[in-house]
Amino acid sequence: QVQLVESGGGLVQPGGSLRLSCTASGDTGFIFSDYVMWWYRQRSGEREYVAVMFRPDSAAAYDASVKGRFTMSRNNTEKTVYLEMNDLKPEDTGVYYCKARDAGRDYWGQGTQVTVSS
């Protein structure tokens, strides 16, 4: 019922920046503003929490590993969430996923690859 499409990944040098986008769509019952939106990433192991916005008008929360470098934002008109990534480090390399959650149901995108390397 909910589809998520991610974009913006790529290759960047250490210290560089990327902006990831995740656009959501669904049937006529889909109300984007009702969903909590998350960013996760998968590096060498399990998928890891990166950032979350519980409400459209709330500040984002971040994992300590990215706090101060990454910024999450949300545009309800465009049904899109963003992850602005600055001062990227090689350890940020991985597949980045967005997730929409409502009433215990999770919807995942297919992920976008981010590679930080010289």
Side-chain angles (χ1 to χ4, degrees):
Q1 295 184 19
V2 178
Q3 298 82 43
L4 304 174
V5 180
E6 297 144 317
S7 63
L11 175 65
V12 65
Q13 294 185 345
S17 299
L18 285 174
R19 189 184 74 163
L20 306 183
S21 300
C22 175
T23 299
S25 62
D27 59 25
T28 56
F30 174 61
I31 304 175
F32 178 74
S33 59
D34 288 345
Y35 284 78
V36 178
M37 300 298 298
W38 306 70
W39 284 99
Y40 284 75
R41 65 185 177 184
Q42 187 166 19
R43 299 183 287 178
S44 61
E46 300 176 348
R47 288 188 186 182
E48 305 164 285
Y49 157 76
V50 173
V52 61
M53 295 191 75
F54 293 100
R55 302 187 310 275
D57 61 347
S58 66
Y62 304 91
D63 182 74
S65 65
V66 305
K67 189 174 183 180
R69 299 188 297 119
F70 291 11
T71 302
M72 186 176 182
S73 60
R74 181 169 182 163
N75 187 318
N76 289 328
T77 300
E78 300 294 330
K79 297 182 176 62
T80 301
V81 293
Y82 304 92
L83 187 67
E84 182 73 30
M85 304 184 296
N86 299 309
D87 191 24
L88 284 162
K89 305 178 184 299
E91 55 263 39
D92 294 318
T93 295
V95 180
Y96 284 70
Y97 300 87
C98 65
K99 181 180 76 175
R101 184 177 180 88
D102 181 33
R105 295 186 178 186
D106 292 339
Y107 303 90
W108 293 88
Q110 293 182 334
T112 185
Q113 176 71 44
V114 172
T115 302
V116 184
S117 176
S118 60

